[in-house]
Amino acid sequence: MTVSIFRALHHDRPAGDPLVLPGPWDAASARVFADAGYPALATPSAGVAASLGYQDGSTPRDEMFTAVARIVRAVSVPVSADVEWGYGLAPRELVGRLLETGVVGCNLEDSEHHTTMKEPKRHADWLAEVRAEAGDDLFINARVDTFLFGTGDPADAVERARLYVAAGADCVYPLLAPPEVLPALREGIEGPINMAAGPVKRSVAELGRLGATRITFGPEMQQYAIEAIGELATGLLVTTD
């Protein structure tokens, strides 16, 4: 599937029918989601990090790109990748590394090293450079970390989102925005909005009803799977006297 088709999945969606993108953390989980019929996938950096034995935000960039490429090769549906803050790469190198993996899109956040918020105009300028290098070959999902590391003020999230859309972002992702502020974000932001949900149907339905265009899950699915494996492992233990 081409980038243009992936981009089209985000537009002209009926109200209450968001695009749901599961988050594979390795090739096996990607195949499960693709076989279930999802039209595309979106890797979570935290889930991939956990699968490689790292804390979130600590994955060496070469290992992240290798893991993403492995996921892309495992499925026939398009994959978008969370590449955090871009790992300090210049826009040309970042775009080149992404395209080498075969992804059709990426998440790029406006905080650095999972701690510090970037100045929004500076980040918008950087996104514009990424867009210029990528042309139409990448779907850019601009993560807005106002509710994670910033002020938590919806007005700040809207201001940042508008700058990023003007810079060429295809979608904005106000991570950890409370569902109750989504209508205000929807009113103030033009274009698709990505919201994060837990792996339960009702949270997806509610976010869609409130105006989310796209739903992703961060590391929630990987954590859900690990908890299930933990329960299985515990249940198989045999206690002997």
Side-chain angles (χ1 to χ4, degrees):
M1 186 181 290
T2 65
V3 178
S4 62
I5 295 175
F6 180 71
R7 188 173 279 117
L9 288 171
H10 294 75
H11 295 279
D12 300 321
R13 302 195 65 85
D17 179 31
L19 174 63
V20 178
L21 299 179
W25 54 93
D26 59 14
S29 59
R31 290 193 186 104
V32 169
F33 296 136
D35 289 346
Y38 289 95
L41 309 175
T43 70
S45 62
V48 173
S51 76
L52 297 174
Y54 294 103
Q55 294 294 318
D56 185 21
S58 299
T59 309
R61 64 192 184 197
D62 289 348
E63 291 195 47
M64 181 63 76
F65 286 120
T66 298
V68 168
R70 191 178 299 119
I71 289 169
V72 172
R73 290 196 301 269
V75 296
S76 59
V77 299
V79 177
S80 181
D82 182 349
V83 288
E84 305 177 278
W85 64 95
Y87 306 114
L89 295 172
R92 176 170 295 183
E93 185 176 0
L94 174 61
V95 169
R97 296 291 300 269
L98 284 164
L99 294 178
E100 284 174 2
T101 70
V103 297
V104 299
C106 62
N107 283 9
L108 293 169
E109 58 202 44
D110 63 354
S111 59
E112 295 178 293
H113 304 286
H114 293 260
T115 55
T116 306
M117 295 290 291
K118 293 183 179 179
E119 193 280 319
K121 182 61 168 62
R122 178 170 65 90
H123 185 62
D125 289 344
W126 182 77
L127 287 176
E129 292 183 53
V130 175
R131 169 54 71 208
E133 292 292 342
D136 291 330
D137 292 338
L138 280 175
F139 183 99
I140 298 175
N141 188 31
R143 204 177 90 179
V144 180
D145 283 351
T146 295
F147 300 97
L148 182 60
F149 300 120
T151 63
D153 182 355
D156 176 74
V158 168
E159 180 182 356
R160 285 174 175 270
R162 286 176 170 170
L163 284 171
Y164 305 159
V165 170
D170 296 281
C171 183
V172 294
Y173 180 15
L175 183 63
L176 297 188
E180 59 269 22
V181 307
L182 179 51
L185 298 179
R186 177 70 284 167
E187 182 177 353
I189 299 169
E190 183 177 352
I193 296 177
N194 185 160
M195 291 287 285
V200 292
K201 190 171 183 178
R202 67 179 179 273
S203 65
V204 171
E206 165 143 6
L207 289 172
R209 180 180 62 79
L210 291 172
T213 311
R214 159 173 159 166
I215 305 292
T216 53
F217 301 89
E220 292 279 348
M221 290 185 165
Q222 189 264 348
Q223 292 169 358
Y224 182 91
I226 291 300
E227 289 173 7
I229 292 170
E231 292 176 5
L232 172 64
T234 301
L236 291 175
L237 285 174
V238 177
T239 302
T240 58
D241 294 329

